[in-house]
Amino acid sequence: MSVSIIFARSTNYCIGKDGQIPWHLPDEFAHFKRTTLGKPIIMGRKTYEDHQSALPGRRNIVISRQANYQVVDSIELQPSLDKALESAHKSSDEVFVIGGVHFFVEAFKKASLVYETIVEADIEGEAILPVFDFNGWESQVIERHKKDEKHAYAYRVIKHMRL
Ligand SMILES: NC(=O)c1ccc[n+]([C@@H]2O[C@H](COP(=O)([O-])OP(=O)(O)OC[C@H]3O[C@@H](n4cnc5c(N)ncnc54)[C@H](OP(=O)(O)O)[C@@H]3O)[C@@H](O)[C@H]2O)c1
């Protein structure tokens, strides 16, 4: 059973601003969708509130300390990352943690695979990741994307595999 993480960050490690993802990069979103499709996805309550609906084609699990937090019917609510992982692993060997900051940090300790997108921009925002230490991991750039009319920023995707 494995834990994978997928995130996109700016060069200064910002992942979110005003409760939302601070860029619109359709091809990067397509990479997220392609990579996570068919797998359970686990997210914090604020990440869920950014989408306000279940991401289709995936089992969606939301973590909140509020036992009576209202989610749409198809979404499962869990009180902690450990409980969410335990539940997700009942239906799939690979489970993706998709945010936010606290859950990336907590899941990093257990993860064997990390998909990191680096967006080539300095962005101000309240959701900031720490610098993860990829010593003891093998890292490979799997995609490079230039800035174009649909993508305000260039980005690259790195796949990190724990050795
Ligand atoms: N760029 C990316 O790849 C990416 C990915 C995901 C999200 N984002 C962005 O990041 C922002 C949201 O992330 P965030 O870090 O602010 O919030 P978050 O992790 O999505 O959600 C935080 C909430 O999770 C619950 N929580 C946190 N720690 C917990 C614990 N130990 N046990 C149980 N529940 C816990 C709490 O919910 P309750 O208050 O309900 O208890 C807390 O308010 C948004 O801007 C979003 O767009 C970006």
Side-chain angles (χ1 to χ4, degrees):
M1 291 195 292
S2 71
V3 177
S4 303
I5 295 176
I6 185 164
F7 64 84
R9 62 150 176 105
S10 62
T11 45
N12 60 329
Y13 289 86
C14 178
I15 64 162
K17 181 181 163 78
D18 302 328
Q20 297 184 322
I21 292 180
W23 44 75
H24 177 67
L25 300 170
D27 289 351
E28 205 284 325
F29 185 66
H31 146 72
F32 171 84
K33 188 171 180 184
R34 212 169 41 241
T35 308
T36 57
L37 211 59
K39 310 278 165 47
I41 50 173
I42 295 175
M43 73 202 88
R45 190 258 304 163
K46 290 183 184 171
T47 296
Y48 163 67
E49 287 184 354
D50 182 10
H51 313 133
Q52 290 289 351
S53 62
L55 296 183
R58 287 147 283 190
R59 192 176 152 202
N60 286 232
I61 303 175
V62 172
I63 307 174
S64 169
R65 291 192 182 92
Q66 307 170 59
N68 58 352
Y69 182 69
Q70 295 297 308
V71 283
V72 297
D73 277 353
S74 59
I75 289 180
E76 179 180 335
L77 189 66
Q78 289 290 349
S80 68
L81 179 63
D82 282 347
K83 291 274 183 210
L85 288 171
E86 191 185 317
S87 174
H89 276 135
K90 285 180 187 155
S91 66
S92 173
D93 280 349
E94 187 181 19
V95 172
F96 274 90
V97 174
I98 66 157
V101 174
H102 171 85
F103 299 108
F104 286 137
V105 171
E106 199 181 339
F108 184 74
K109 298 168 204 157
K110 306 168 193 279
S112 50
L113 196 55
V114 174
Y115 291 90
E116 176 183 36
T117 296
I118 302 174
V119 178
E120 290 177 16
D122 261 6
I123 308 269
E124 279 185 28
E126 69 287 347
I128 307 287
L129 281 185
V131 178
F132 291 121
D133 180 3
F134 287 108
N135 255 321
W137 295 65
E138 185 185 321
S139 301
Q140 202 183 340
V141 177
I142 57 168
E143 191 181 334
R144 286 183 195 275
H145 199 295
K146 292 197 171 104
K147 178 177 167 175
D148 62 23
E149 63 283 354
K150 288 187 182 151
H151 300 78
Y153 308 114
Y155 67 85
R156 63 187 184 279
V157 181
I158 306 176
K159 184 177 180 180
H160 304 275
M161 291 151 285
R162 198 188 282 277
L163 295 172

